[in-house]
Structures are given as structure tokens and as C-alpha cells.
Amino acid sequence: MARPEQVLLLEPQHELRFRGPFTDVVTTTLKLANPTDRNVCFKVKTTAPRRYCVRPNSGVIDAGTSINVSVMLQPFDYDPNEKSKHKFMVQSLLAPPDMTDTEGVWKDAKPEDLMDSKLRCVFEMPAENEKTHEMESNKISASLSKSESSTLSMKSMASSLDDGEVKKIMEECKRLQTEVQRLREENKQIREDDGLRMRKSTVMSAPHSSPAMRMKEEGLSSRVIALIVLFFVVGVIVGKLAL
């Protein structure tokens, strides 16, 4: 006996696409919608349970509502030459009106009551330029989110202050600016005083050194005169002896 047609609407209908790089967890979303007037039990199964994490993998969809199922592919070494053979199956069952135990309903279900839909997995590896563009987009979005969060925090901080507190903060800022200016003037005055003292010490040391130099020069000139007189006397004596 043929199984009944699937009552759930699947989006996507036939393929679950996972976009690399696959060095981290890659997540895709499967939407299950229940257009009927009855609650529907569902289960999501895969041929590679160790490679995927499915949340939620089972449950009940109320009449006229939908649910998003997150299918998370675990990191792996991607080989472009290897075709994916992984498949998913969405199994459903109309819930009885007096249902209290979901697992019991699945156990007691007859094969002709079960409905299923199958989807195959497709792996896509972006080109190098697409990778670069995606990385730049992620950086830009991250920086924008940071700037927005900082702006919001500043706005919330400003809104939490009343006018009196703002006035006090402004007055404190002015007082600190005045204090900084005063310290700068004092530092400038200290530097000028130090320079004046150094110039005075230089001028005062100059007169003490000049008499010594003059005495030294006078001593040298008297010695030269004495030597000249001595040579003259010796020359006169020698001349007389020669005569």
C-alpha cells in the first residue's frame, strides 16, 4: 500500500545546501510548515548522524504553524572530488486528538500512516574572491555592530544623567583645566628662575678668574725682561774680557 502524501511543506524542498569553508560548523535552516487543521508529529533523520547536529530533531507542529530546524554540519576535510552521499528524511504523522505521549504515538503508528520527504545534501566551496569579499563583509559588519553598541551605551549613559549631574561634571572639567593651566605657569616660572641663576653664576665667576690670568701674564713678562737684562750683562762682560 502506497504511503500518503506528505502534509508538511518543506523549505527547501529537495536539497540542503552547506556553504564552506568547512573548517567550522556550517548551519543551514529547514523550515517545516503545517497547513492542516490538525497537529502533526515530525522527526528529522539522516544517513550520517555523526556528521550533523539537528535541533530540534523531533516534535509536534501545531495546526497552521511552522517551525525552523537548524541542521549543523560538523567541521571536516573537504574534498571537491568527493560527491556528498548524505541524505535527510523528514518523517511525519498526524497526531491523534487525545495524544499525551509522542513516543507512544510513533510506536503504535502503522506504516500506512507515516509520511516522509527526502532531501539530499549539497556542499559548496566559495571561490577565492568570494571568500575575500565574505571576510571583508564579516569584518565590516563586526565593526558596525561594535560602533552601534558603543553609541547605544553612550546614549544610555547620557540619558541616565539629569541636568544637575551634567552641570557638576562640566564645572569639574573647567576646574581641572584651570588647575592644569596654573601648573603649567608654575613650571614655566621655575624654568625661567633656573636660567637666571645659571647666568648670574657665570657672570660672578668671570671676575674671579681674570686677576689670576693677569697675574700669570705679568709674571711671564717680568721673567722675559729679566732674561733679556741677564743676557745683556753677560754679553757686556764677555766683550770686555775679549778686549
Side-chain angles (χ1 to χ4, degrees):
M1 183 177 177
R3 291 190 175 186
E5 187 178 354
Q6 176 68 269
V7 296
L8 295 178
L9 300 178
L10 279 64
E11 185 182 346
Q13 296 181 355
H14 306 294
E15 294 179 344
L16 290 176
R17 291 187 173 273
F18 298 89
R19 189 173 179 82
F22 303 102
T23 55
D24 201 354
V25 176
V26 180
T27 303
T28 190
T29 301
L30 172 64
K31 183 179 180 180
L32 304 178
N34 178 12
T36 69
D37 56 356
R38 293 181 58 180
N39 294 347
V40 176
C41 302
F42 76 93
K43 283 186 177 181
V44 181
K45 300 179 180 180
T46 178
T47 57
R50 294 184 179 180
R51 300 286 294 275
Y52 298 90
C53 182
V54 182
R55 293 291 182 272
N57 58 2
S58 64
V60 179
I61 305 175
D62 295 335
T65 63
S66 62
I67 189 172
N68 289 328
V69 177
S70 296
V71 183
M72 292 163 279
L73 173 63
Q74 303 305 303
F76 72 102
D77 294 330
Y78 175 70
D79 185 1
N81 298 321
E82 181 182 355
K83 293 184 178 181
S84 173
K85 298 179 181 179
H86 303 165
K87 293 181 180 179
F88 275 81
M89 181 176 69
V90 178
Q91 203 169 40
S92 61
L93 171 67
L94 291 173
D98 57 347
M99 183 186 68
T100 57
D101 182 13
T102 307
E103 290 300 324
V105 171
W106 284 106
K107 288 180 181 179
D108 299 337
K110 298 177 182 179
E112 57 267 22
D113 296 332
L114 300 177
M115 299 166 282
D116 59 60
S117 301
K118 294 180 181 179
L119 302 94
R120 69 187 188 94
C121 297
V122 178
F123 298 153
E124 296 177 340
M125 181 63 76
E128 290 298 326
N129 56 350
E130 292 181 356
K131 286 182 185 179
T132 305
H133 178 70
E134 186 174 353
M135 291 176 65
E136 291 177 353
S137 300
N138 292 336
K139 290 180 180 179
I140 293 172
S141 60
S143 61
L144 286 175
S145 62
K146 287 182 180 179
S147 62
E148 287 176 359
S149 62
S150 62
T151 303
L152 289 174
S153 62
M154 290 296 291
K155 286 183 178 179
S156 62
M157 185 183 298
S159 61
S160 63
L161 296 174
D162 56 17
D163 294 338
E165 291 176 342
V166 172
K167 188 176 180 181
K168 289 180 181 179
I169 292 173
M170 293 298 292
E171 290 177 353
E172 182 66 17
C173 289
K174 289 182 180 179
R175 189 186 67 80
L176 290 174
Q177 288 177 354
T178 305
E179 184 68 18
V180 170
Q181 185 64 28
R182 186 182 65 81
L183 292 174
R184 285 178 179 173
E185 292 294 334
E186 289 183 358
N187 189 26
K188 183 179 178 182
Q189 187 63 37
I190 289 172
R191 289 182 178 179
E192 290 179 354
D193 293 342
D194 289 342
L196 183 60
R197 282 195 295 269
M198 290 178 66
R199 286 196 296 271
K200 286 183 178 180
S201 61
T202 304
V203 172
M204 291 176 66
S205 61
H208 293 291
S209 60
S210 58
M213 292 295 294
R214 286 196 296 270
M215 289 176 65
K216 188 175 182 180
E217 291 175 357
E218 291 175 356
L220 287 174
S221 60
S222 59
R223 289 173 187 170
V224 171
I225 294 171
L227 287 174
I228 292 172
V229 172
L230 180 60
F231 287 137
F232 177 74
V233 172
V234 170
V236 172
I237 295 171
V238 172
K240 287 182 178 182
L241 290 176
L243 292 174

